[in-house]
Amino acid sequence: MKKTASNLNRYGEQQLKRLLRQDPYLTPYSEALLRRIRAVKETEHRLTGGKMSLAEFASGHEFFGLHRTASGWVFREWAPNATTVFLVGDFSGWGETSEFELRRISSEGVWEIELPDKVLKHADLYRLRIHWEGGEGDRIPVYVRRVHQDGETHIFNAQVWDPPDAYRWRHAAPGGCDAPLVYEVHVGMAQDREGVGTYREFTENVLPRIVSAGYNTLQLMAIQQHPYYGSFGYHVSNFFAASSRFGPPEDLKALIDAAHGAGLTVLMDMVHSHAVSNEVEGLGRFDGTAHQYFHEGEKGHHRAWDSRCFDYGKPQVLHFLLSNCRFWLDEYRVDGFRFDGVTSMLYTHHGLSKAFTSYDDYFDASVDEEALTYLTLANKLIHTIHPDAVVIAEDVSGMPGLGVHPDNGGAGFDYRFAMGVPDHWIKLTKDTRDEDWHMGHLWFELNNRRSDERTISYAESHDQALVGDKSLMFRLIDANMYEHMHRDDDHMNVARGIALHKMIRLITIATAGHGYLNFMGNEFGHPEWIDFPREGNGWSYKYARRQWHLVDNPDLKYRCLDRFDKEMIRLVKKREVLKASWPYLLHEHNDDKVIAFHRKGLLFVFNFHPTNSYTGYGIQVPRGTYRMLLDSDAAEFGGHGRLTPGQVHHPLPVASENADVQTLQLYLPTRTGIVLEPT
């Protein structure tokens, strides 16, 4: 024991040194950083007892819940405050009987029942009826893998899922993805018709579009079971159950399998930042207490989200959450996760109305270091099980070390979202005339990221398109989209919106740190917002869908935007732009609204000026003759076609001590972005 304690006391010093070498500004916080590094090691040892691996520990889903045995069934649940527990369901007439009473098998509050084979059958519905001192309640089991909602009563129940034929996987995952081009999707709203889409419809109708578009990573939203459709999947009730709203588990497996067969890496949104407050369907007051899985008192409530906050210091909660990570990797073969709400997890104020302006903000009393420990352990577990896994943090705070490997003192995320980029685009398009856009500020925001972490940039995700906000296209064009998107209509505002839409995407992906994300349909300028059925809209599905017929119509300009996005993605993939180092700024002139930069051998030039086109615009570039590869103003992309496709630009000599520099004179039409390569 003394030797173990001594080892822990010495642990972390090398990791801290590596972290400080990457960011010397963290030096004043060395004591806190060392404490955090050691907390991860200490917590892991406390969980495993030094007798098993973290992966072995994270197997709660194989112990708890309903499982087949050689002679029948076994069911186990953790409910420490319960006094009596019954299984009730179709098999018991939904009443309590001694035949289905669980027995307490441990002092920690683990309950168990063994049943003969023929008592339960595939598709039976069931619940737990839990009694505690002073009360009782029906509960859906915590580790349940299938939840069914009645189409008429809308009541949720656990469901025995034991089909005669297990799903047979056909394709291996494509392997590592070091420059993710992420296509973010919501299966339920991916269909064109008004209604809830299915896994099968998505596989047949939408997956081929994604493959054709050239993206290499599929990010699935709203997969974990959630009772309220309008929560976008972020009020999770049953963490081990794939949403039955979209179809059976086998159909989700077939979707992931087909995506793998098409060469796509498959990620899913992992919601461990909070849980729905529901008591029957969720974890709220599961055993009669409010603090079984959550913090006691006000700390256990996320008032802004109307949800419950996990207690990341409890070993049983860590067992539950870590097992949940392993379950989705093992059972559904996902290739990683986008952890939602990381900022909310990391701070007791949840990042609400908080501006992170100093390193002090990352080391004050508001930081939940137990949550940070959990995230680090989760990343270690995920990468142990799936070495090629991709794990993304949705964090707006900029917590140092979040995207740094644990061996170097970090939390181990592979990427973090560059969430300031879409915020800046919305701010510009909403509050500032484009003739007043400041090129220096724009360049700073596009490249504002930590050098020791990999980031994924995006112009907009689902967040920017929710009701109450507007997608970029809708903000740029607004109501003119309804009447002036025909290819022969030269409406001035539509032309402006289409030009800026392409430029915004091109400069965002060209400056992206290491990856890029797009929400489904936004690549072709999907109109309007996202609004799920609710009382306020008469329970309508009109805006909870993707109108693919718009991009399929050759007479509409949506087709032009889609064509541009495909060519942009193709170019970035072929030239491996996102695998290159940071873009090198060659020219930035605010009055001219011109930005030019160099990356991976390519020259990117943008003229954001709304009225000024420039002839013979001089830019000093690396020596060579340049040929144009991509022109956002091309007629096929809905532009004015003012540049000659594939034109070659010859340099002029420049008086400079640097013999490798020359002046390139370019014609830069208004609101146009071009990409050139040296020949």
Side-chain angles (χ1 to χ4, degrees), residues 21-41:
R21 277 200 298 268
Q22 289 289 334
D23 188 353
Y25 290 106
L26 287 170
T27 302
Y29 310 97
S30 296
E31 183 177 343
L33 289 166
L34 189 59
R35 181 183 67 245
R36 293 177 182 181
I37 293 169
R38 287 174 175 168
V40 175
K41 186 70 171 179

Side-chain angles (χ1 to χ4, degrees), residues 262-277:
L264 296 177
T265 296
V266 180
L267 313 179
M268 65 170 278
D269 276 4
M270 182 62 89
V271 184
H272 283 177
S273 48
H274 63 137
V276 72
S277 297

Side-chain angles (χ1 to χ4, degrees), residues 404-639:
V404 175
H405 195 280
D407 288 348
N408 297 324
F413 282 97
D414 297 293
Y415 302 91
R416 73 156 79 232
F417 277 153
M419 299 180 70
V421 173
D423 288 346
H424 190 66
W425 283 125
I426 292 298
K427 181 179 179 181
L428 284 180
T429 55
K430 179 181 179 181
D431 301 328
T432 309
R433 302 181 308 165
D434 46 305
E435 52 261 46
D436 296 328
W437 290 4
H438 194 286
M439 296 296 100
H441 292 169
L442 176 59
W443 180 255
F444 172 79
E445 293 294 342
L446 290 170
N447 293 280
N448 182 19
R449 53 182 176 268
R450 299 180 60 85
S451 61
D452 57 346
E453 298 180 336
R454 295 186 291 181
T455 58
I456 294 176
S457 295
Y458 53 102
E460 56 181 336
S461 67
H462 70 275
D463 284 329
Q464 285 72 38
L466 290 170
V467 67
D469 205 337
K470 294 181 179 180
S471 66
L472 273 175
M473 193 54 152
F474 202 40
R475 193 173 295 285
L476 289 166
I477 300 179
D478 215 86
N480 295 139
M481 296 185 75
Y482 298 127
E483 298 178 353
H484 300 286
M485 287 296 286
H486 193 277
R487 64 180 183 180
D488 296 328
D489 191 328
D490 294 327
H491 193 276
M492 184 180 298
N493 192 44
V494 170
R496 167 189 178 269
I498 286 178
L500 289 177
H501 191 271
K502 291 177 290 186
M503 293 182 72
I504 286 171
R505 274 163 166 68
L506 181 57
I507 197 171
T508 298
I509 197 172
T511 56
H514 308 83
Y516 174 76
L517 176 138
N518 168 68
F519 179 66
M520 61 179 182
N522 284 358
E523 72 276 10
F524 66 80
H526 195 283
E528 300 164 334
W529 47 75
I530 300 166
D531 189 12
F532 286 93
R534 55 188 173 85
E535 188 175 2
N537 64 15
W539 303 103
S540 170
Y541 287 89
K542 180 179 180 181
Y543 299 111
R545 60 192 180 110
R546 296 284 92 178
Q547 300 181 54
W548 302 108
H549 67 275
L550 295 175
V551 72
D552 291 339
N553 188 337
D555 293 328
L556 299 180
K557 293 182 179 179
Y558 298 104
R559 173 72 67 90
C560 301
L561 292 172
D562 185 65
R563 190 178 293 124
F564 175 78
D565 194 79
K566 284 184 170 69
E567 187 60 28
M568 179 184 77
I569 294 295
R570 187 199 66 79
L571 177 64
V572 168
K573 285 174 64 176
K574 181 178 180 180
R575 299 309 175 98
E576 298 185 328
V577 172
L578 298 182
K579 295 182 181 180
S581 58
W582 290 47
Y584 179 75
L585 183 63
L586 298 171
H587 181 89
E588 178 259 302
H589 196 291
N590 189 54
D591 290 339
D592 292 345
K593 303 302 177 199
V594 173
I595 292 178
F597 56 93
H598 190 263
R599 190 176 190 186
K600 198 58 165 45
L602 300 179
L603 175 62
F604 297 84
V605 186
F606 296 84
N607 176 15
F608 281 96
H609 204 287
T611 57
N612 289 356
S613 295
Y614 304 107
T615 302
Y617 196 93
I619 298 174
Q620 289 192 16
V621 299
R623 185 168 298 279
T625 299
Y626 286 79
R627 179 174 63 91
M628 190 169 66
L629 296 177
L630 183 64
D631 163 27
S632 71
D633 190 54
E636 63 179 319
F637 303 143

Side-chain angles (χ1 to χ4, degrees), residues 303-320:
R303 296 300 179 185
W305 293 351
D306 187 26
S307 57
R308 302 301 311 278
C309 300
F310 286 108
D311 182 349
Y312 303 104
K314 270 192 175 182
Q316 297 90 342
V317 174
L318 295 178
H319 190 216
F320 168 75

Side-chain angles (χ1 to χ4, degrees), residues 148-156:
H148 173 271
Q149 183 180 23
D150 186 273
E152 295 183 2
T153 65
H154 305 296
I155 292 174
F156 292 91

Side-chain angles (χ1 to χ4, degrees), residues 13-23 407-408:
E13 294 175 0
Q14 292 301 316
Q15 290 94 323
L16 177 62
K17 288 179 181 178
R18 296 186 194 111
L19 186 61
L20 296 181
R21 277 200 298 268
Q22 289 289 334
D23 188 353
D407 288 348
N408 297 324

